[in-house]
Amino acid sequence: MEYYSGQITKLIEELSRLPGIGAKSAQRLAFHIISMPEEQVDRLASSMTEARRNIRYCKECCTLTDQELCPVCRSAGRDHKTIMVVETPRDYVAYEKTGRYDGVYHVLHGAISPMLGIGPGDIKLKELMQRLQGDVNEVIIATNSSLEGETTAMYISKLIKPTGIKVSRIASGVPVGGDLENIDEVTLLRALEGRIEL
Ligand code: ZN
């Protein structure tokens, strides 16, 4: 039996597909949306559609951007010969927020996980190796200190070693299993400054 009209049910269903939104929250959000002024709902809907349509990978570092290059890759003031490898765009933002890193990034969009069946070909590793054919001084591996993050770091360092480019790993100021985005800036900076050459 349907408790609500078909359209409300559909809205609740769609909302409950979002991560972290259970049936109850979806219901609450649906009723909130219905009570919102129409133009506000239009703005919400179009900002979602436009973001989805226009956001793509930065041609250089693979982070998400609405232009060909992200602001960091576009900036002439950055050291384009130092590349920090991170798992997600959120990690990129976490380091950007410290305001103390002046190199560029490479976003892998994931980490190698044999258990989940995620191999090197499933993350943006090929793109990283392509970048290394240019003029690069150092690659700083800043993947998470989870099992997957460590596996990925090891894999990348083995891949880069033969090229002669310096490879370093951020220090273990980052707690084991810790997601970079949840760690405070001081810890992030300490991890970066105390990085170890691999
Ligand atoms: Zn970029």
Side-chain angles (χ1 to χ4, degrees), residues 9-11 18 33 53 58 88 138 145-147 166 168 177:
T9 308
K10 178 136 181 20
L11 180 57
L18 297 171
I33 290 168
R53 191 174 301 135
C58 168
T88 68
E138 183 180 359
S145 49
S146 59
L147 178 62
K166 182 176 166 189
S168 58

Side-chain angles (χ1 to χ4, degrees), residues 58-63 65 69-74 92 105:
C58 168
K59 230 176 80 185
E60 195 70 20
C61 74
C62 300
T63 196
T65 175
L69 290 173
C70 74
V72 170
C73 290
R74 266 203 315 269
Y92 163 126
Y105 298 90

Side-chain angles (χ1 to χ4, degrees), residues 16-134:
S16 63
R17 286 182 218 271
L18 297 171
I21 308 287
K24 265 194 190 155
S25 310
Q27 238 176 71
R28 198 169 41 80
L29 284 171
F31 282 107
H32 179 76
I33 290 168
I34 291 162
S35 73
M36 275 158 60
E38 220 176 306
E39 68 271 11
Q40 206 182 328
V41 179
D42 286 343
R43 269 204 308 276
L44 174 65
S46 65
S47 67
M48 286 196 280
T49 335
E50 276 165 30
R52 180 63 189 85
R53 191 174 301 135
N54 298 323
I55 289 179
R56 51 189 142 158
Y57 295 128
C58 168
K59 230 176 80 185
E60 195 70 20
C61 74
C62 300
T63 196
L64 299 174
T65 175
D66 54 7
Q67 307 206 1
E68 196 164 279
L69 290 173
C70 74
V72 170
C73 290
R74 266 203 315 269
S75 164
R78 306 290 290 234
D79 167 13
H80 289 260
K81 295 180 181 181
T82 302
I83 301 178
M84 183 193 286
V85 179
V86 293
E87 291 184 22
T88 68
R90 296 189 303 273
D91 300 334
Y92 163 126
V93 170
Y95 266 102
E96 259 326 86
K97 276 188 181 160
T98 69
R100 299 271 295 276
Y101 173 67
D102 70 345
V104 293
Y105 298 90
H106 188 84
V107 181
L108 293 172
H109 292 277
I112 298 170
S113 169
M115 238 164 54
L116 297 173
I118 301 169
D122 300 316
I123 57 176
K124 304 271 177 207
L125 207 54
K126 199 176 71 223
E127 290 80 353
L128 173 65
M129 296 314 287
Q130 260 158 19
R131 288 179 78 184
L132 299 188
Q133 308 202 332

